[in-house]
Amino acid sequence: IAKLAARYNINITGVTKACCGNPQVARAMLNGGATSLADSRIENIIRMRQAGIDADMMLLRTPQLSRIDTVVEHADISLNTEPVVIEALAWEAQEQGVIHRVLLMAELGERREGIPREQLHDVVDQTLCLDGVELYGLGVNLTCLTGVIPTREKMLAFEELVQEIQESFDITLPMIGAGNSANVPLMLQGDHPATFINNLRVGEGILLGLETVNREAIPGTHQDVFTVEAELIEVKDKPSLPDGELTQNAYGETPSFENRGVITRGIAAIGRQDVITDGLTPLDEDIEILASSSDHLVLHLKDGYEVGDIVRFRPNYGTLVSAFTSEYVATAYK
């Protein structure tokens, strides 16, 4: 991914939030070509700092006013949209005797964090007037919340906005961050604008080897880096349909089941309290997930499985996040 981005003179910021700032993952990203790291939780940035990682650290989520001192102490750069927060960062940076770098996020249709175009000039002007902070760049985020695709037209609109700001204030911004793993298809198609854009924040594309528009594999990447394993605690032949008057399950759902007669049903010791089970895909193609509750994952098994056997799954991004954040899921490296 770093080599692909380099064709457009774009640097990659490796996003570690899915792995809770795991230092081994962070080092792998840097060794693979990422020039900086980013996380949405300041706790994860602190974790990487304590592990001796000295790369530039970017806080992805807008800083909380209640944690400004911690942000300034541990993060080099933060994504911002609120003048009151930027002012607080400036005051705290002066107190700590440092310069905190600010990346202003522009609203381009995703409707998550972002400053509307008609307000951006004022926020830029206010930021440039503050001591203690450096206006380090402009950024945009798409796809994550509402699924807006970073099309070439969207990227050209962003570059136009960047040009407008730089010309209006007679400045050259060091970082122009145009998005995330959803930008990979444009690069693969040879269609990504590269006049001003010089940075992408990439997590899933690195960790799971998938672009986030169509969830297709990125050439040259691996899709099996992470595997979720669970032990079978029951294996029995049972009817495929429940027997009795039905109501909602524990999660307020009304599931439906196909009548397949008597089948081999297995229960794996993992459930919704551990991970997002909807994002699990069995590595054994003959296994099918039938249902899940807080502590149980019910499977349709082929012959040959026994109690105590390990079943393996490939996680999607949401499940990967939940696995790393769950205190019930142990992490091992091979």
Side-chain angles (χ1 to χ4, degrees):
I1 291 173
K3 289 178 180 178
L4 174 63
R7 300 177 193 172
Y8 299 88
N9 296 314
I10 292 174
N11 292 321
I12 295 298
T13 296
V15 177
T16 59
K17 64 180 182 179
C19 303
C20 300
N22 183 280
Q24 294 192 58
V25 173
R27 290 192 180 96
M29 288 182 170
L30 293 171
N31 291 338
T35 57
S36 57
L37 298 171
D39 207 291
S40 57
R41 303 293 196 277
I42 192 64
E43 294 85 356
N44 295 341
I45 289 176
I46 293 172
R47 180 185 184 189
M48 291 186 282
R49 291 284 193 221
Q50 291 175 341
I53 297 173
D54 60 0
D56 267 0
M57 298 282 182
M58 177 189 296
L59 181 64
L60 290 176
R61 189 169 63 184
T62 302
Q64 299 165 251
L65 281 174
S66 59
R67 308 207 64 191
I68 291 295
D69 56 343
T70 307
V71 171
V72 170
E73 181 180 357
H74 297 286
D76 302 293
I77 310 165
S78 61
L79 274 53
N80 284 270
T81 61
E82 290 290 349
V84 65
V85 174
I86 301 169
E87 186 174 344
L89 288 167
W91 280 104
E92 182 59 36
Q94 291 177 68
E95 286 291 314
Q96 295 188 26
V98 298
I99 299 295
H100 184 79
R101 285 173 272 168
V102 168
L103 192 76
L104 294 181
M105 298 298 286
E107 170 61 60
L108 247 69
E110 175 72 355
R111 306 298 184 244
R112 201 178 72 176
E113 80 276 28
I115 304 166
R117 185 170 190 147
E118 62 272 16
Q119 300 174 19
L120 187 58
H121 278 70
D122 287 343
V123 179
V124 169
D125 189 37
Q126 293 172 44
T127 304
L128 289 171
C129 291
L130 294 171
D131 293 326
V133 294
E134 173 192 355
L135 178 56
Y136 193 61
L138 294 177
V140 68
N141 191 73
L142 299 172
T143 309
C144 290
L145 182 69
T146 58
V148 174
I149 298 172
T151 59
R152 178 172 175 80
E153 290 71 27
K154 282 285 186 186
M155 293 297 97
L156 288 174
F158 178 55
E159 288 212 328
E160 179 185 328
L161 182 59
V162 170
Q163 182 177 16
E164 180 184 318
I165 291 295
Q166 292 192 142
E167 290 180 352
S168 295
F169 292 91
D170 193 23
I171 56 176
T172 300
L173 298 170
M175 179 176 283
I176 307 300
N180 49 47
S181 300
N183 290 62
V184 170
L186 274 182
M187 294 195 292
L188 290 172
Q189 296 161 17
D191 208 24
H192 202 293
T195 306
F196 297 108
I197 295 165
N198 59 19
N199 179 264
L200 292 175
R201 306 173 299 277
V202 180
E204 183 169 352
I206 296 171
L207 299 172
L208 297 179
L210 301 173
E211 47 86 0
T212 54
V213 175
N214 301 302
R215 287 304 190 293
E216 294 181 351
I218 301 169
T221 65
H222 296 270
Q223 287 71 53
D224 59 353
V225 174
F226 296 95
T227 302
V228 176
E229 299 183 350
E231 183 178 340
L232 289 173
I233 57 174
E234 179 182 299
V235 177
K236 294 187 182 302
D237 290 341
K238 296 183 182 181
S240 53
L241 292 181
D243 181 15
E245 187 176 347
L246 301 181
T247 185
Q248 298 176 350
N249 64 16
Y251 284 85
E253 303 161 344
T254 306
S256 59
F257 301 93
E258 179 184 347
N259 188 358
R260 305 176 185 178
V262 175
I263 60 174
T264 301
R265 295 169 70 99
I267 297 177
I270 190 170
R272 301 192 199 187
Q273 193 168 349
D274 306 299
V275 299
I276 299 174
T277 54
D278 288 346
L280 293 170
T281 300
L283 294 187
D284 184 340
E285 294 181 356
D286 291 324
I287 292 178
E288 180 184 356
I289 297 174
L290 297 177
S292 65
S293 58
S294 298
D295 318 296
H296 303 80
L297 187 68
V298 181
L299 308 169
H300 182 181
L301 298 175
K302 65 178 182 180
D303 293 335
Y305 280 96
E306 300 176 349
V307 170
D309 286 347
I310 302 298
V311 286
R312 295 174 174 85
F313 306 87
R314 183 171 299 155
N316 68 7
Y317 190 72
T319 296
L320 183 66
V321 172
S322 64
F324 266 97
T325 56
S326 174
E327 63 178 287
Y328 303 112
V329 179
T331 305
Y333 299 90
K334 298 179 181 179

